[in-house]
């Protein structure tokens, strides 16, 4: 899709905004937001409303809420009232009429069979975490556990996010350092691991975005310099927008760019500060969620009107479970594809322990006082949170500079 197509589609939607409108398109994905409520993202291809003389061609992603989960690839007709919101168009009072069955690939059929079998073997929550961290399939995660992960700030673990890619990148790289491999070889191997991981999940726009941003951020944390990665981030944003211009209207893309910028600019500063008190590997695992969470906070407050203060603590506790669960989840999928079912049972039993630890972490964090703080909606809350983030960022840079100055003075003496 070109930028001109998006401009034309937005112009059409502006003409029908506020009135009952019919849309035809295919479902891209469905995300559960509560026990009986799903956020459905679909690609609209045609639109018709009384204000239009005839149906118009459309080429734009839209979002609406549904009481039922719609499978990816299902062609639907949706009747609703379009309304512009942050970065996207949303349909209110949507009524959905499926027009075709979803197209299921062999890989997708295997994933569905694995999800059903794993849920009956080790439980719905634990199986969803094993497969979610393995290749992003958290469809079996119960609504209560989903809410606990949202409050504790661990939702990104069960989706293919830039932070998840960065975690896998850094953990695998640090694992290789115990074998005394060179930095360039370790970074290359970690990049290939995350590339293979994203390929197994599927090269959708969100996965491509997460892999590019997460790998860049992790590389910067390990390199400790922001000069070249910042240039690469700018170039990556341009290339991704040229390849898929609709990302400009995506909240997820905005959060990915912001979090990657935080990992490039802010995380190395935090690593430098924390390394004075903690081991380097712990400093990196602490800096990644702290930098990303702080810089993304204004956008998240604008979207959810809530603040989750224990996100960094939850991510630090959960970091030890990320790599083993990711490996186990991918191995489960590969063994199921090869029909090594005895190995699938062994892997599921092994993965149950770190998955259950994640469930306990999310539950414990959720039960802490002030685990979710509601803030008033509006620009004032966003301005206040953004001001706090700027102050904390400035203080961190001052601490790092004073530390370097103290070190130089000590060396001269």
């Amino acid at each position: 899709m070109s930028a001109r197509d998006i401009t034309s589609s937005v112009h059409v939607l502006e003409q029908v905004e506020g009135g009952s409108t019919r849309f035809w398109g295919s479902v891209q994905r469905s995300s559960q937001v509560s026990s009986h409520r799903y956020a459905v993202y679909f690609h609209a291809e045609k639109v018709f409303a009384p204000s239009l003389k005839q149906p118009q061609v459309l080429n734009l992603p839209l979002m609406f809420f549904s009481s039922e989960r719609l499978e990816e690839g299902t062609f639907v007709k949706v009747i609703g009232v379009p309304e512009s919101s942050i970065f996207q168009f949303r349909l209110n009072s949507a009524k959905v009429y499926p027009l075709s069955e979803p197209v299921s690939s062999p890989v997708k059929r295997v994933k569905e069979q694995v999800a059903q079998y794993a849920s009956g073997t080790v439980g719905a929550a634990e199986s969803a975490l094993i497969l979610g961290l393995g290749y992003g399939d958290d469809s079996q995660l119960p609504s209560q556990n989903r809410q606990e992960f949202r409050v504790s700030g661990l939702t990104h673990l069960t989706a293919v996010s830039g932070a998840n890619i960065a975690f896998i990148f850094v953990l695998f790289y640090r694992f290789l350092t115990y074998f005394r491999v060179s930095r360039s070889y370790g970074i290359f191997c970690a990049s290939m691991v995350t590339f293979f991981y994203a390929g197994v999940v599927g090269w959708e726009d969100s996965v491509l975005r997460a892999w590019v941003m997460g790998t860049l951020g992790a590389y910067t944390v390990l390199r400790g310099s922001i000069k070249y990665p910042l240039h690469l981030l700018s170039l990556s944003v341009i290339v991704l927008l040229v390849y898929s211009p609709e990302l400009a209207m995506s909240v997820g893309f905005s959060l990915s760019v912001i979090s990657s910028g935080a990992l490039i600019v802010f995380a190395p500063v935090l690593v430098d500060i924390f390394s004075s008190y903690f081991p380097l590997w712990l400093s990196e695992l602490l800096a990644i969620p702290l930098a990303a969470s702080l810089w993304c906070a204004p956008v998240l407050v604008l979207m959810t009107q809530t603040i989750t203060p224990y996100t960094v603590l939850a991510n630090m506790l959960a970091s030890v479970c990320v790599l083993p669960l990711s490996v186990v989840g991918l191995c489960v999928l590969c063994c199921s594809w090869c029909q090594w079912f005895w190995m699938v049972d062994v892997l599921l039993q092994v993965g149950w322990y770190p998955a259950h630890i994640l469930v306990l972490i999310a539950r414990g964090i959720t039960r802490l006082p002030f685990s979710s703080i509601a803030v008033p909606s509006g620009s004032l809350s966003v301005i206040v949170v953004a001001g706090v983030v700027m102050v904390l960022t400035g203080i961190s840079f001052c601490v790092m500079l004073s530390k370097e100055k103290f070190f130089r003075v000590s060396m001269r003496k």
Side-chain angles (χ1 to χ4, degrees):
M1 187 197 316
S2 66
R4 181 176 297 178
D5 293 334
I6 290 184
T7 303
S8 175
S9 299
V10 171
H11 179 68
V12 172
L13 283 183
E14 288 175 347
Q15 296 181 46
V16 301
E17 186 174 359
S20 181
T21 309
R22 297 182 181 184
F23 294 89
W24 291 264
S26 56
V27 175
Q28 294 181 322
R29 71 181 190 275
S30 298
S31 301
Q32 188 173 12
V33 295
S34 63
S35 57
H36 299 289
R37 187 175 172 86
Y38 295 87
V40 181
Y41 300 86
F42 85 114
H43 191 85
E45 301 175 5
K46 189 169 66 172
V47 58
F48 178 73
S51 59
L52 301 174
K53 296 181 179 179
Q54 59 183 1
Q56 300 289 326
V57 176
L58 205 63
N59 202 350
L60 202 67
L62 303 176
M63 188 272 284
F64 61 88
F65 292 102
S66 172
S67 59
E68 298 181 358
R69 182 184 182 88
L70 298 175
E71 293 296 329
E72 178 184 348
T74 306
F75 195 77
V76 297
K77 179 177 73 173
V78 184
I79 301 177
V81 180
E83 177 187 70
S84 59
S85 60
I86 306 170
F87 301 110
Q88 64 184 0
F89 278 90
R90 182 175 61 193
L91 299 182
N92 296 324
S93 305
K95 296 181 180 179
V96 186
Y97 303 92
L99 300 178
S100 71
E101 295 295 326
V103 179
S104 181
S105 64
V107 175
K108 185 177 180 180
R109 287 196 295 269
V110 171
K111 289 181 179 180
E112 292 173 350
Q113 294 171 1
V114 171
Q116 294 177 359
Y117 180 77
S119 178
T121 303
V122 295
E126 286 76 12
S127 66
L129 292 176
I130 294 173
L131 305 184
L133 271 80
Y135 49 86
D137 183 8
D138 63 345
S139 58
Q140 303 293 325
L141 189 64
S143 57
Q144 180 182 353
N145 297 103
R146 194 179 299 274
Q147 175 66 13
E148 292 172 348
F149 271 72
R150 187 190 67 79
V151 173
S152 59
L154 297 176
T155 306
H156 67 89
L157 295 180
T158 58
V160 185
S161 65
N164 197 12
I165 296 288
F167 265 126
I168 296 174
F169 190 105
V170 172
L171 286 173
F172 189 79
Y173 174 83
R174 288 304 172 195
F175 171 75
L176 291 179
T177 57
Y178 286 103
F179 299 95
R180 300 180 182 273
V181 300
S182 64
R183 169 177 286 194
S184 58
Y185 182 73
I187 290 177
F188 173 77
C189 291
S191 300
M192 290 299 98
V193 167
T194 56
F195 183 85
F196 173 75
Y197 170 79
V200 171
V201 173
W203 284 109
E204 301 173 356
D205 287 347
S206 60
V207 178
L208 176 64
R209 177 197 73 215
W211 181 76
V212 171
M213 299 303 173
T215 303
L216 274 177
Y219 169 71
T220 306
V221 171
L222 296 174
R223 193 173 187 273
S225 172
I226 69 172
K227 182 179 179 181
Y228 296 108
L230 196 57
H231 297 165
L232 289 175
L233 174 63
S234 303
L235 179 61
S236 300
V237 171
I238 294 173
V239 171
L240 287 173
L241 287 176
V242 171
Y243 171 75
S244 182
E246 62 266 23
L247 290 176
M249 302 178 64
S250 168
V251 178
F253 180 71
S254 302
L255 290 173
S256 290
V257 174
I258 294 172
S259 61
S260 299
L263 295 182
I264 290 174
V265 177
F266 192 32
V269 177
L270 296 178
V271 171
D272 186 72
I273 296 173
F274 294 155
S275 60
S276 301
Y277 309 98
F278 307 109
L280 181 60
W281 64 270
L282 181 59
S283 301
E284 291 171 347
L285 295 182
L286 182 62
I288 288 175
L290 179 57
S293 300
L294 278 178
W295 279 33
C296 290
V299 178
L300 293 175
V301 168
L302 184 64
M303 292 172 54
T304 64
Q305 287 81 51
T306 57
I307 297 176
T308 53
Y310 300 117
T311 297
V312 176
L313 174 62
N315 278 273
M316 188 175 64
L317 294 174
S319 61
V320 296
C321 302
V322 172
L323 187 58
L325 278 176
S326 300
V327 173
V328 169
L330 285 174
C331 290
V332 166
L333 180 63
C334 294
C335 291
S336 299
W337 182 269
C338 298
Q339 297 185 354
W340 297 343
F341 300 113
W342 63 272
M343 193 63 183
V344 172
D345 290 331
V346 173
L347 290 170
L348 289 175
Q349 295 300 328
V350 171
W352 181 89
Y353 294 98
H356 191 65
I357 290 174
L358 280 184
V359 171
L360 295 178
I361 291 173
R363 188 167 299 163
I365 293 293
T366 303
R367 293 178 180 177
L368 291 176
F370 307 108
S371 59
S372 179
I373 303 174
V375 297
S377 60
S379 58
L380 180 60
S381 299
V382 178
I383 293 173
V384 171
V385 173
V388 172
V389 171
M390 291 176 63
V391 170
L392 293 175
T393 303
I395 292 174
S396 300
F397 272 93
C398 291
V399 171
M400 184 194 69
L401 293 175
S402 62
K403 177 186 172 184
E404 292 180 353
K405 183 178 180 181
F406 176 78
F407 179 75
R408 288 195 298 267
V409 171
S410 300
M411 290 296 292
R412 289 175 183 175
K413 292 182 178 180

